[in-house]
Amino acid sequence: MRVLLVEDSERLQRSVERGLRGSGYAVDVAGDGTHGLWLAETNVYDVVVLDLMLPNLDGLSVLRRLRESGRDVHVLILTAKDTVEDRVKGLRHGADDYLIKPFSLDELLARVEALVRRQHGQKNPRIKVGDLVLDTAARVAFLGNRPIELTTREFGLLELLVFRQGQVLTRTEIESKLYDDRAELMSNVVDTVVYALRKKLDRPGLPSMIQTRRGMGYVFEPAGAATPRNEQ
Amino acid sequence: MTSIRRQLLLSLLPAVLLLTAASGAVLYLYARHVVLRQYDAALLAQAKAVAAGIIVDDEHPRLIQSADAQAGEFSRGHHPSYFQIYRADGSSAIRSASLGQTNLEASALHGRNDDEIWDTLLPNGRPGRAVKWTFLPARDPDEERELLESAGSTPPTLGRLTLVLATARRGIDEPLENLRVSLAAASLLSGFGAVGLILFAVNRSLWPLLDMASEAAADDAFSNQATPFQRRFPESGVPAELRPISIRLNSLLDRLQQTYERQRQFTANAAHELRTPIAELKSLAEVSLKFPPDAAASTAAFTDALAIASQMERLVSTLLAIARSDASQKALLVTQVDLVRLVKQQIERHQSIAGIEAKLKLAAPETVRIKTDPVLLDAILENLLSNAIEHAPRPAVVSIVVEVDPKALQVALRVSNLAPTLNEADLAQMFEPFWRKDQARSGARHFGLGLSIVRAFASVIGGKATAKFRSPGVIETEVVVPCLE
């Protein structure tokens, strides 16, 4: 999943970026409102983490313009402005969540995860597809009862595919979700990850959960399971 | 010092009560005196009338018929009057029928003066009033003629007789008693009426004062935690004596509220400023714990942590300096200082730090001596210069002018620089703590406290800091301090 971080404090940029990346997100960073707005309008993000006190263009203006242009990406406001009025104002401008500095990194990650789930219409952090269980909070996956060892990137891809189950995802789309602007990409980087994931998921005798659609992309279609069920 | 209301009541009520009682008493006494005088006059007249009706016939006084009009009074059984006539030798000559055989006031013959009227107890036991009248009786006219004819000369004079006449006091006692009762009742009524009126008038007049006092005393009025200093005293509809007090109190409350709000704002801003470095430190630590960094990243992380700590330390020191400056009047170490020398030192320092980024120009006399605290003055200069250099567009051209005003005995220090982003509205705000033109501060090197330090310290050393546009887009910050020569 791809996250945009708009924050003017460089130190905070570095820490939060590292935290998000470590949790498997692709992260783009902007240091002022103008740049942040441009990135948000140019790319597709799952979540935007937005500071309010930004140079050039303040956070609320960025948010307002984003909403006016029809972008409904989830926005989490991260700010030191903590009064009720500030929170109400932020939420009424179109924010989806509000976190006050200083914040706990774990809380930030959990809120971002929740917004990502919401973006994909998922309530339950544990998603069951056939006997594949994906715990998006703990970032682990199980096949039957057996835990599967996945790299951060592989888990990210699996999560994306499961969230968009039944929909064909192009390579470009997958690339934009898994990799941020900093990554230096080989041309077949997506194929490599898909291949690695298939090796860990596929079972002999059964069709692969990840189907290739020639000329289009990939789709997640586990055999015998029509739609993912939220595990009770 | 007791309450106004109590003082008023304590002084008015007894006085009024005393006054009404006294007037009643005086009125009664006067009336009594008049009545008594009239009564006594009538008594004396009656005695004279009785005496006039006495003629002597063969040495025996007798009451002539013309006096019979009074006879009924002296013989009736109910409330009679009494009289007795004594000869000079003290023997009784005539007694009124009412007397019977008793003597009336025999002691009065020698014990009382002529014309004297006194209170006595009548023979029937009732209170009465008696009069003594000594007179020369008339001779029976026939006898007088006989004597005149026989003696051929004036007949010898008869001995003087003494009349004692006593009547019942009932005639005056009853009316006097009625008068006394009436006056007492009237006094009582008017006394109560006056008391009631006074209570009403005092309470009514003092009500606005009592109202104001109870409002001031109300617990939640001025110490309400949620909205302190919000209440105000009414200024209209209050008595003329209280209005100045209300107005003054309200203006004091306004100032208190303003000070309180500024204090609150200052504290909120300070806390807010600390939030970001704390958030940075916290995130840094959490990320390093969650995703342990390699050696290079570790070094970078600790370097960052140190920088954040230094930043917070600077902020806290600055805040303390401002807080102390409010109370530091006593802590001033005043010595003779050459202002120009200090300015030159600061210019040199800033120029060497800024290098080509800034150009500082000075126009000043050779030397200007002032008596002040050099540490505070230095802090003022430091903040003025670094503020100008920081905010002027690159390369920062800053002009410094030192000018003495000998008439006003003060010296002005003016620092000017280009400030294209500032406007008139900013001038008022510039000296407020934590104010920055661009509210989002990247780099967080400046907290927006520099000019508030300048203003606070200037005030402590007896000076003043102001700012204005010297020309469009050029801001001039001026600090004026008193000087000696």
Side-chain angles (χ1 to χ4, degrees):
Chain A
M1 301 301 154
R2 201 160 174 188
V3 173
L4 171 63
L5 172 65
V6 190
E7 163 65 58
D8 69 323
S9 157
E10 282 171 19
R11 290 190 208 113
L12 217 45
Q13 279 177 10
R14 287 197 286 271
S15 303
V16 174
E17 195 189 350
R18 256 179 67 208
L20 287 169
R21 282 231 173 83
S23 303
Y25 297 97
V27 185
D28 290 333
V29 179
D32 65 79
T34 317
H35 187 202
L37 182 62
W38 181 81
L39 281 173
E41 286 174 335
T42 311
N43 302 321
V44 176
Y45 295 101
D46 294 284
V47 177
V48 174
V49 176
L50 181 64
D51 183 20
L52 288 186
M53 307 275 265
L54 296 167
N56 296 343
L57 191 64
D58 70 283
L60 277 180
S61 302
V62 170
L63 178 56
R64 202 180 51 242
R65 291 197 202 182
L66 209 54
R67 293 300 181 229
E68 278 167 6
S69 68
R71 297 286 172 143
D72 57 1
V73 61
H74 285 345
V75 173
L76 180 144
I77 288 177
L78 185 70
T79 180
K81 289 183 145 207
D82 69 334
T83 65
V84 173
E85 290 95 338
D86 293 322
R87 286 198 287 254
V88 168
K89 208 167 156 190
L91 292 166
R92 287 204 169 135
H93 268 70
D96 297 274
D97 205 350
Y98 202 103
L99 189 57
I100 294 163
K101 295 179 193 172
F103 55 89
S104 144
L105 185 69
D106 278 342
E107 188 178 353
L108 175 66
L109 294 174
R111 285 181 186 262
V112 168
E113 264 166 53
L115 288 176
V116 165
R117 278 202 304 277
R118 217 185 291 169
Q119 187 84 10
H120 297 275
Q122 291 288 344
K123 288 281 184 188
N124 198 336
R126 278 176 77 90
I127 308 167
K128 190 168 160 57
V129 185
D131 51 354
L132 172 69
V133 175
L134 210 65
D135 189 335
T136 58
R139 318 300 287 167
V140 292
F142 299 86
L143 206 51
N145 288 325
R146 189 173 52 87
I148 321 168
E149 278 234 18
L150 297 173
T151 67
T152 314
R153 195 80 71 195
E154 287 161 4
F155 187 90
L157 174 60
L158 181 57
E159 187 184 36
L160 176 62
L161 288 167
V162 167
F163 274 154
R164 303 275 289 271
Q165 199 214 18
Q167 299 172 32
V168 177
L169 291 163
T170 64
R171 279 182 187 76
T172 318
E173 222 174 324
I174 296 173
E175 206 178 285
S176 76
K177 288 289 184 183
L178 296 185
Y179 300 93
D180 47 51
D181 289 346
R182 280 199 356 193
E184 284 173 27
L185 304 176
M186 306 279 286
S187 53
N188 64 340
V189 64
V190 174
D191 295 330
T192 314
V193 184
V194 171
Y195 178 71
L197 190 58
R198 269 185 179 144
K199 266 188 78 175
K200 294 179 182 178
L201 289 181
D202 291 349
R203 278 166 299 179
L206 291 171
S208 174
M209 291 193 203
I210 304 172
Q211 301 285 319
T212 308
R213 291 280 186 272
R214 290 203 83 81
M216 289 199 286
Y218 297 100
V219 62
F220 185 78
E221 252 176 17
T227 45
R229 272 194 345 266
N230 287 350
E231 197 165 76
Q232 295 310 302
Chain B
M1 180 70 184
T2 172
S3 80
I4 294 177
R5 184 171 170 277
R6 217 156 65 159
Q7 270 207 319
L8 273 174
L9 291 176
L10 278 178
S11 49
L12 282 174
L13 290 179
V16 158
L17 285 171
L18 213 62
L19 215 60
T20 47
S23 1
V26 164
L27 209 61
Y28 170 74
L29 286 173
Y30 179 70
R32 184 167 162 270
H33 169 75
V34 166
V35 162
L36 217 52
R37 217 175 47 184
Q38 285 177 346
Y39 180 89
D40 288 353
L43 192 63
L44 190 61
Q46 190 182 27
K48 286 180 182 172
V50 168
I54 302 292
I55 54 172
V56 176
D57 182 5
D58 293 337
E59 300 294 324
H60 294 295
R62 64 181 161 84
L63 198 60
I64 58 171
Q65 289 301 101
S66 60
D68 275 359
Q70 296 162 7
E73 185 186 334
F74 295 108
S75 56
R76 66 183 177 220
H78 190 62
H79 297 301
S81 299
Y82 306 87
F83 77 86
Q84 188 165 1
I85 295 177
Y86 295 91
R87 297 194 187 80
D89 59 3
S91 59
S92 175
I94 300 177
R95 272 200 190 85
S96 63
S98 51
L99 262 180
Q101 289 307 306
T102 47
N103 281 337
L104 179 67
E105 300 289 326
S107 58
L109 285 175
H110 302 289
R112 299 275 179 194
N113 296 328
D114 202 27
D115 286 12
E116 195 177 323
I117 303 174
W118 66 95
D119 286 321
T120 184
L121 204 60
L122 297 173
N124 63 1
R126 298 212 192 272
R129 206 149 163 83
V131 59
K132 174 180 170 183
W133 179 243
T134 309
F135 64 101
L136 221 51
R139 203 182 284 272
D140 180 72
D142 296 329
E143 197 178 299
E144 190 162 348
R145 207 177 337 105
E146 272 178 38
L147 285 169
L148 212 62
E149 284 169 1
S150 62
S153 59
T154 325
T157 49
L158 293 164
R160 293 183 80 84
L161 296 176
T162 302
L163 167 68
V164 178
L165 194 143
T167 58
R169 278 188 62 112
R170 193 173 64 93
I172 51 168
D173 279 354
E174 276 181 16
L176 279 180
E177 180 64 27
N178 289 338
L179 181 66
R180 192 167 51 230
V181 167
S182 313
L183 279 177
S187 294
L188 211 66
L189 272 172
S190 59
F192 279 132
V195 163
L197 195 68
I198 287 170
L199 281 171
F200 175 75
V202 164
N203 285 338
R204 187 121 188 270
S205 305
L206 286 182
W207 177 79
L209 186 59
L210 293 173
D211 192 49
M212 184 188 246
S214 72
E215 234 192 88
D219 231 359
D220 67 336
F222 302 105
S223 58
N224 186 344
Q225 287 307 316
T227 53
F229 310 122
Q230 294 271 352
R231 289 268 291 263
R232 293 290 181 272
F233 291 99
E235 287 177 21
S236 59
V238 287
E241 292 89 346
L242 292 182
R243 207 160 157 270
I245 298 176
S246 278
I247 293 175
R248 175 64 72 192
L249 276 174
N250 285 345
S251 100
L252 284 173
L253 284 169
D254 285 338
R255 276 170 53 188
L256 259 176
Q257 191 177 16
Q258 275 173 19
T259 308
Y260 173 81
E261 288 299 325
R262 285 186 60 190
Q263 205 53 4
R264 217 159 68 137
Q265 193 58 41
F266 182 88
T267 313
N269 286 341
H272 185 82
E273 284 299 317
L274 282 169
R275 275 213 150 101
T276 299
I278 290 172
E280 291 172 356
L281 200 55
K282 200 168 160 186
S283 292
L284 188 61
E286 282 180 320
V287 144
S288 300
L289 284 170
K290 205 172 172 73
F291 307 106
D294 59 26
S298 223
T299 309
F302 282 123
T303 310
D304 270 351
L306 191 57
I308 295 168
S310 304
Q311 185 189 334
M312 293 204 289
E313 184 188 19
R314 269 203 326 277
L315 174 60
V316 167
S317 304
T318 311
L319 290 175
L320 278 173
I322 295 180
R324 281 200 191 115
S325 75
D326 292 335
S328 75
Q329 292 280 359
K330 304 161 211 137
L332 280 187
L333 281 161
V334 174
T335 58
Q336 270 222 12
V337 172
D338 183 355
L339 174 63
V340 177
R341 190 171 61 84
L342 271 183
V343 170
K344 283 180 176 165
Q345 277 175 358
Q346 284 283 356
I347 290 176
E348 230 179 84
R349 205 170 72 79
H350 279 95
Q351 185 69 79
S352 73
I353 293 173
I356 53 163
E357 297 268 298
K359 186 154 168 53
L360 283 71
K361 299 182 292 187
L362 173 67
E366 203 40 56
T367 175
V368 173
R369 270 182 222 295
I370 57 176
K371 242 185 164 165
T372 190
D373 185 323
V375 173
L376 292 181
L377 183 60
D378 207 44
I380 291 173
L381 294 171
E382 153 75 39
N383 278 286
L384 277 176
L385 289 181
S386 59
N387 190 67
I389 293 170
E390 177 70 20
H391 294 107
R394 296 280 165 265
V397 176
V398 179
S399 110
I400 302 115
V401 170
V402 177
E403 193 182 314
V404 180
D405 181 353
K407 278 197 300 266
L409 274 185
Q410 59 192 24
V411 56
L413 173 72
R414 300 189 192 100
V415 176
S416 329
N417 58 279
L418 267 175
T421 58
L422 290 180
N423 56 43
E424 279 295 330
D426 296 330
L427 286 182
Q429 305 254 51
M430 270 169 67
F431 292 96
E432 290 299 315
F434 300 108
W435 185 86
R436 285 181 293 265
K437 179 64 191 179
D438 186 356
Q439 283 299 308
R441 65 297 144 275
S442 317
R445 273 192 349 264
H446 277 250
F447 304 111
L449 290 170
L451 284 181
S452 72
I453 291 180
V454 167
R455 183 172 66 174
F457 284 13
S459 151
V460 170
I461 61 173
K464 197 172 162 196
T466 50
K468 69 172 198 274
F469 284 105
R470 205 175 68 179
S471 54
V474 177
I475 187 134
E476 179 182 270
T477 318
E478 182 186 70
V479 172
V480 171
V481 290
C483 74
L484 297 171
E485 357 153 31

